[in-house]
């Protein structure tokens, strides 16, 4: 057996002293490729990923002209554009695009990312067939439904996935992907079980039995799964990796100046994960049925859950080493910072680690917290190993470590430098759902960048026990969780706990803009019980602050006690923006994005999940029976394409409003008209004049 941790120790030793890396960041956008035309009776997933990627690679000069040119001040001067990078993804109907080079510290980059995202979408489209479109819905509403849903179409029940619902050809044919799926299945000893509660509408038969499940199939031993109870009543039943890994998300990676800062960012962004998951909710439909959940997370988690019956606790431990409480795709279970504010009570007392690997890492000089984190990742088996990698353990590479790391899909990822140590320590924020427009995707990217800078600038503290973050992750799944549910969140985010009672926390927030002005108090009072440090808050309260939430929350009551007012992440970001030099145009551009986040959190605007639900509910074909038919799916995707096509060209969507129901509830004024900054600039100038 190879000592898989050795490469990790090697790179850690090489890179632990790295200093002053630039504060770079980058986003990743994932697309579904659909085959749509007004005249075709249905919309299909296009399986031409390989051809599209090849066309993109072959066109040596991806010219940014013609269709893609107008309005794109993308990532560099005209003629000197850093072209985006396109990547394959698990689904053969998916694409991923990242900026040509990471973004820098400059605030102008925050305003360029939206144009760059539009450019990416445009270039992608230019390398597709006329009827193919890159869209940013998280999931295709009818993936796995009976009948034809891909172009070309293949029969289901192939040897790799053994799925009743999707063909093996749905996955990227690169050997890694079908092998991953097959190994997960064989390790489990059965197919994955992705069961999502169905949404119960007026005419939904109850109890509901998934009408698409075939109980008579006899092609593979795994066909017994459904006869053994894999498909319970009232759940949409899915049985393959593609149902999870075929979803699109929005990820942001940050480079820290050194390992210490990276470890702090990892910890402080962790508690924000579930809040941002709820706020970006965009996944209300699976396999042609309305679900009772709004986000994709748990479905991906189940779609790659390779735990054996022993690891799951269904059988006594005999052959396996430990029980494992979570799938390898799950919210993260460790904090890793050297921050003295990290109390032992925040850690998971039941964390499973590989003690031998931890000891080896400790013996190699790594500190306990980081060794614990990596020893937790190493409880998982490598699920795909390439033969050539097994020949020898090459310490100038990180392939063995990356193999474990890249199949531990947690909501935060701590990325060590690559083997050549050419770039710095990075932290990836992974929970967000992809949004329909690039405006929204840019808004959420920019928001996460700005809150990260506020965290570092004000030394903010969002620690709560990590198991409360897990609980929040579950809460985020509920329909309308962003408006109707409450999440555990830390009451006082400021660096030193104040003993002041009855003082307004929002006053502290504005104090934060001048860190010398009263924030840091010399004496730290003794720490009270951890339970006193956090309470339940609505997303509105976390994002906008207690006062704003009290004035605007309709669905829940805000129950902050005197002295427990939370300042709100947006006000914290604004304090940060107040503390740096910035011209009005930049500030106004950023205000547009923050406004969107603010209004989503208050319920003034809808999440994509809510908008999709309303679109379906109002469709004349919908029979209030939870069924999302081919025709509804076609019209929904058609509307999404129309929005995207207009946005790509920098056009407003005024003329779609009315044709596409409730569009203004999704975007407000943001995408209307051709002068995107006008309203926000006026608001901003008015605010300055006050
Ligand atoms: P993965 O899929 O493993 O998360 P990708 O290479 O697809 O990684 O993308 C990660 C993101 O990180 C991209 O947006 C990329 O621009 C960005 N990025 C690349 N190098 C750096 C760096 N040194 N610091 C921060 N971000 C980076
Ligand atoms: Mg990527
Ligand atoms: Mg990727
Ligand atoms: Mg990806
Ligand atoms: Mg990523
Ligand atoms: Mg990746």
């Amino acid at each position: 057996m190879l000592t898989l941790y050795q490469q990790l120790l090697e790179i850690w030793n090489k890179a632990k002293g790295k200093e002053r890396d630039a504060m770079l960041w980058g986003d990743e956008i994932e697309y579904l490729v659909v085959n749509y035309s007004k005249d075709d009776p249905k919309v299909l997933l296009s399986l031409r990923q390989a051809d599209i990627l090849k066309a993109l690679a072959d066109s040596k000069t991806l010219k940014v002209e013609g269709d893609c040119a107008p309005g794109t001040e993308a990532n560099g001067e005209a003629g000197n554009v850093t072209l985006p990078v396109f990547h394959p993804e698990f689904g053969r109907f998916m694409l991923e695009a990242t900026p040509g080079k990471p973004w820098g510290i400059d605030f102008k980059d925050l305003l360029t990312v939206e144009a760059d995202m539009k450019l990416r979408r445009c270039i992608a489209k230019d390398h597709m067939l006329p009827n193919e479109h890159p869209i940013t819905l998280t999931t295709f509403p009818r993936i796995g439904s009976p009948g034809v849903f891909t172009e070309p179409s293949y029969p289901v029940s192939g040897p790799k996935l053994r799925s009743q619902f999707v063909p093996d050809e749905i996955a990227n044919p690169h050997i890694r992907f079908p092998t991953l799926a097959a190994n997960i299945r064989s390790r489990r000893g059965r197919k994955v079980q992705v069961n999502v509660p169905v949404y119960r509408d007026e005419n939904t038969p109850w109890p509901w039995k998934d009408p698409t499940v075939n109980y008579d199939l006899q092609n593979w031993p795994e066909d017994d799964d459904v006869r053994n109870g894999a498909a319970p009543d009232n759940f949409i039943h899915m049985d393959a990796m593609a149902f999870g890994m075929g979803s699109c998300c929005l990820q942001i990676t940050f480079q820290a100046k050194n390992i210490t800062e990276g470890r702090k960012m990892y910890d402080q962004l962790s508690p924000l994960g579930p809040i941002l998951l709820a706020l970006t909710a965009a996944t209300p439909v699976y396999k042609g049925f309305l679900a009772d959940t709004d986000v994709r997370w748990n479905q991906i988690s189940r779609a790659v859950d390779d735990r054996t019956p022993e690891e799951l606790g269904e059988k006594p431990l005999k052959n396996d080493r430990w029980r494992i409480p979570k799938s390898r795709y799950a919210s993260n279970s460790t904090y890793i910072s050297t921050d003295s504010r990290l109390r032992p009570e925040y850690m998971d007392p039941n964390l499973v680690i590989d003690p031998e690997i931890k000891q080896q890492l400790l013996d190699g000089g790594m500190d306990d917290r980081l060794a614990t984190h990596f020893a937790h990742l190493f409880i998982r088996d490598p699920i795909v190993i390439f033969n050539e990698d097994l020949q020898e353990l090459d310490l100038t590479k990180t392939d063995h470590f990356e193999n474990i790391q890249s199949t531990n899909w947690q909501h935060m990822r701590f990325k060590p430098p690559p083997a050549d140590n050419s770039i710095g320590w990075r932290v990836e924020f992974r929970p967000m759902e992809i949004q329909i427009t690039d405006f929204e995707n840019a808004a959420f990217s920019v928001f996460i960048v700005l809150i990260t800078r506020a965290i570092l600038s004000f030394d903010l503290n969002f620690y709560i026990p990590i198991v409360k973050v897990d609980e929040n992750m579950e809460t985020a799944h509920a329909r309308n969780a962003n408006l109707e549910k409450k999440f555990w969140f830390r009451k006082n985010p400021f660096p030193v706990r104040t003993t002041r009672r009855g003082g307004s926390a929002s006053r502290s927030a504005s104090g934060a803009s001048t860190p010398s002005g009263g924030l840091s108090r010399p004496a730290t009072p003794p720490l009270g019980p951890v339970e006193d440090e956090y309470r339940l808050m609505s997303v509105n309260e976390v994002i906008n602050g207690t006062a704003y939430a009290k004035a605007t929350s309709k669905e829940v009551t805000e129950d902050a006690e005197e002295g427990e007012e939370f300042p709100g992440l947006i006000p914290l970001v604004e304090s940060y923006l107040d503390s740096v030099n910035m011209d009005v145009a930049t500030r106004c551009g950023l205000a547009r994005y923050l406004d969107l986040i603010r209004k989503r959190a208050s319920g003034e605007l809808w999440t994509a999940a809510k908008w999709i639900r309303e679109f379906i509910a109002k469709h004349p074909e919908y029979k209030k029976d939870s069924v999302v038919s081919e025709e509804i799916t076609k019209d929904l995707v058609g509307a999404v394409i129309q929005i995207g096509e207009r946005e790509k060209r920098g056009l407003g969507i005024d003329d779609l409003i009315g044709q596409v129901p409730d569009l203004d509830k999704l975007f407000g004024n943001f995408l209307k008209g051709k002068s995107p900054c006008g309203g926000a600039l006026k608001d901003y100038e008015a605010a300055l004049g006050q």
Side-chain angles (χ1 to χ4, degrees):
M1 182 64 186
L2 289 165
T3 42
L4 295 174
Y5 61 88
Q6 281 177 351
Q7 286 180 338
L8 170 63
L9 261 183
E10 188 74 12
I11 187 64
W12 174 75
N13 261 314
K14 217 191 290 178
K16 67 186 179 202
K18 256 172 106 49
E19 280 295 340
R20 286 187 294 172
D21 278 313
M23 198 192 235
L24 305 177
W25 67 280
D27 64 277
E28 294 166 73
I29 303 273
E30 292 173 339
Y31 310 86
L32 303 175
V33 182
V34 293
N35 207 311
Y36 169 93
S37 96
K38 264 204 175 78
D39 313 320
D40 288 340
K42 48 179 157 182
V43 56
L44 301 171
L45 282 171
S46 164
L47 300 186
R48 291 201 326 112
Q49 179 189 75
D51 301 314
I52 295 166
L53 283 172
K54 183 163 188 315
L56 283 160
D58 285 352
S59 89
K60 292 226 167 39
T61 46
L62 290 172
K63 285 226 184 65
V64 186
E65 53 184 30
D67 204 24
C68 296
T72 51
E73 314 99 42
N75 213 350
E77 307 293 308
N80 184 23
V81 171
T82 311
L83 294 164
V85 185
F86 293 90
H87 316 255
E89 260 299 333
F90 177 83
R92 216 167 130 192
F93 49 84
M94 296 169 83
L95 274 187
E96 182 183 294
T98 55
K101 58 173 197 270
W103 308 105
I105 183 87
D106 201 326
F107 284 107
K108 291 222 173 60
D109 280 2
L110 294 174
L111 298 182
T112 310
V113 61
E114 182 182 348
D116 190 73
M117 287 174 176
K118 287 180 185 159
L119 178 67
R120 282 178 240 169
R121 193 184 291 265
C122 194
I123 292 176
K125 169 74 185 117
D126 271 7
H127 293 78
M128 294 177 185
L129 300 175
N131 285 349
E132 285 171 336
H133 302 267
I135 62 166
T136 40
L137 287 177
T138 55
T139 45
F140 186 68
R142 286 184 63 85
I143 183 173
S145 300
V148 174
F149 57 91
T150 59
E151 169 60 43
S153 178
Y154 299 90
V156 299
S157 195
K160 295 287 184 191
L161 300 184
R162 304 190 181 180
S163 168
Q164 293 206 347
F165 308 111
V166 292
D168 280 2
E169 289 82 356
I170 198 104
N172 184 326
H174 183 287
I175 182 74
R176 175 185 156 86
F177 297 97
T179 308
L180 203 58
N183 289 358
I184 287 172
R185 180 174 44 69
S186 82
R187 198 176 185 288
R188 273 176 70 81
R190 54 198 153 167
K191 286 187 288 184
V192 293
Q193 283 174 20
V194 186
N195 290 329
V196 196
V198 71
Y199 170 68
R200 185 179 185 178
D201 209 341
E202 276 169 39
N203 301 331
T204 309
W206 210 260
W208 186 82
K209 294 188 190 303
D210 186 334
T212 65
V213 174
N214 180 348
Y215 288 91
D216 302 324
L217 215 58
Q218 303 277 3
N219 294 343
W220 308 104
E222 289 84 353
D223 292 328
D224 284 340
D225 290 358
V226 290
R227 292 184 281 272
N228 293 332
D233 282 0
N234 305 333
F235 287 86
I236 306 161
H237 174 63
M238 295 165 281
D239 65 352
M241 188 167 166
F243 286 106
M245 282 296 176
S247 333
C248 299
C249 65
L250 172 64
Q251 297 174 335
I252 314 292
T253 296
F254 298 96
Q255 179 165 284
K257 70 172 187 242
N258 55 30
I259 186 172
T260 308
E261 186 184 82
R263 291 170 68 168
K264 174 182 266 190
M265 280 159 59
Y266 180 93
D267 281 13
Q268 293 305 329
L269 288 172
S270 283
L272 305 189
I275 309 294
L276 270 295
L277 177 61
L279 201 52
T280 55
T283 318
V285 184
Y286 276 99
K287 216 180 67 172
F289 303 106
L290 279 166
D292 206 31
T293 53
D294 269 359
V295 299
R296 77 200 190 287
W297 189 266
N298 278 346
Q299 281 68 259
I300 311 183
S301 176
R302 292 181 186 125
V304 291
D305 189 352
D306 69 339
R307 287 174 296 168
T308 65
E310 292 181 25
E311 288 169 343
L312 285 163
E314 295 172 358
K315 283 186 186 166
L317 276 180
K318 224 172 81 200
N319 302 311
D320 291 322
R321 290 179 292 175
W322 33 61
R323 295 241 160 103
I324 306 182
K326 290 178 180 176
S327 162
R328 50 199 306 152
Y329 189 111
S331 52
N332 59 299
S333 297
T334 55
Y335 286 125
I336 60 174
S337 177
T338 51
D339 194 329
S340 60
R341 300 174 302 183
L342 170 47
R343 299 175 65 174
E345 295 95 321
Y346 303 150
M347 302 300 237
D348 180 356
N350 300 316
L351 186 76
V352 185
I353 58 160
D354 184 326
E356 281 162 39
I357 288 193
K358 178 169 171 182
Q359 193 54 51
Q360 300 290 345
L361 294 174
L362 291 172
D363 292 347
M366 197 181 279
D367 62 278
D368 193 275
R369 269 180 200 159
L370 203 55
T372 301
H373 167 74
F374 288 121
H376 171 63
L377 301 187
F378 277 107
I379 63 174
R380 312 287 173 174
D381 279 352
I383 27 181
V384 187
I385 295 189
F386 293 104
N387 250 331
E388 59 270 27
D389 295 336
L390 278 175
Q391 308 301 320
E392 55 178 327
L393 180 67
D394 184 346
L395 288 180
T396 66
K397 298 206 298 196
T398 51
D399 51 338
H400 291 281
F401 168 67
E402 287 301 336
N403 192 9
I404 290 289
Q405 163 99 328
S406 69
T407 52
N408 262 280
W409 297 278
Q410 304 189 342
H411 84 281
M412 301 295 306
R413 185 176 281 167
F414 187 54
K415 296 175 166 176
D420 65 5
N421 209 6
S422 56
I423 60 175
W425 292 89
R426 286 147 303 143
V427 171
E428 186 180 20
F429 187 75
R430 304 162 48 83
M432 293 192 285
E433 308 236 308
I434 201 76
Q435 305 291 291
I436 293 173
T437 63
D438 291 322
F439 166 67
E440 297 161 279
N441 288 315
F444 280 99
S445 304
V446 164
F447 175 66
I448 292 300
V449 174
L450 290 176
I451 193 68
T452 303
R453 293 193 190 166
I455 287 168
L456 296 178
S457 177
F458 300 152
D459 202 15
L460 298 176
N461 179 1
F462 293 130
Y463 275 127
I464 56 172
I466 195 81
V467 295
K468 293 290 174 198
V469 178
D470 290 342
E471 206 180 312
N472 285 347
M473 216 66 182
E474 287 303 315
T475 305
H477 283 71
R479 247 185 322 118
N480 291 327
N482 62 313
L483 300 182
E484 294 173 13
K485 294 290 173 188
K486 289 195 176 181
F487 296 80
W488 299 111
F489 212 77
R490 189 179 179 86
K491 295 178 198 172
N492 183 355
F494 297 112
V496 175
R497 293 153 50 87
T498 68
T499 46
R500 183 165 44 124
R501 298 295 300 174
S504 141
S506 56
R507 242 183 284 139
S508 323
S510 50
S513 60
T514 47
S516 53
L519 258 186
S520 38
R521 302 195 166 211
T524 310
L527 296 174
V530 164
E531 296 71 35
D532 290 353
E533 294 179 351
Y534 56 86
R535 63 180 170 84
L536 287 167
M537 297 185 200
S538 66
V539 169
N540 196 1
E541 187 171 10
V542 172
I543 296 289
N544 292 318
T546 306
Y548 192 99
K550 279 192 167 157
T552 56
S553 280
K554 290 189 205 89
E555 326 276 342
V556 296
T557 45
E558 309 296 343
D559 44 17
E561 287 173 29
E562 270 274 294
E564 285 193 345
E565 292 89 347
F566 184 73
L569 301 182
I570 295 266
L572 286 168
V573 163
E574 277 173 345
S575 294
Y576 167 71
L577 293 176
D578 289 342
S579 76
V580 294
N581 276 333
M582 186 177 293
D583 57 71
V584 172
T586 307
R587 183 72 188 253
C588 124
L590 298 179
R592 267 176 91 225
Y593 299 138
L594 297 180
D595 258 14
L596 177 84
I597 312 280
R598 178 184 290 121
K599 289 178 174 160
R600 284 271 163 88
S602 69
E604 210 173 315
L605 294 178
W606 288 354
T607 61
K610 166 94 172 157
W611 178 76
I612 293 169
R613 285 182 192 284
E614 295 291 325
F615 186 98
I616 293 167
K618 292 197 176 119
H619 196 285
E621 264 275 299
Y622 181 63
K623 301 187 179 63
K624 296 191 194 302
D625 56 357
S626 317
V627 174
V628 184
S629 67
E630 287 180 333
E631 190 177 337
I632 298 173
T633 301
K634 186 195 153 178
D635 291 342
L636 174 66
V637 171
V640 166
I641 290 172
Q642 270 188 297
I643 297 166
E645 286 288 302
R646 293 194 59 82
E647 200 210 6
K648 180 176 86 177
R649 293 182 168 76
L651 303 172
I653 54 166
D654 313 43
D655 47 352
L656 293 183
I657 290 172
Q659 282 176 60
V660 179
D662 302 319
L663 213 45
D664 50 348
K665 300 231 175 66
L666 185 58
F667 300 120
N669 286 314
F670 292 112
L671 295 180
K672 288 188 196 166
K674 293 185 188 176
S675 164
C677 216
L681 185 56
K682 248 187 272 138
D683 291 350
Y684 182 69
E685 283 169 344
L688 281 183
Q690 274 173 11

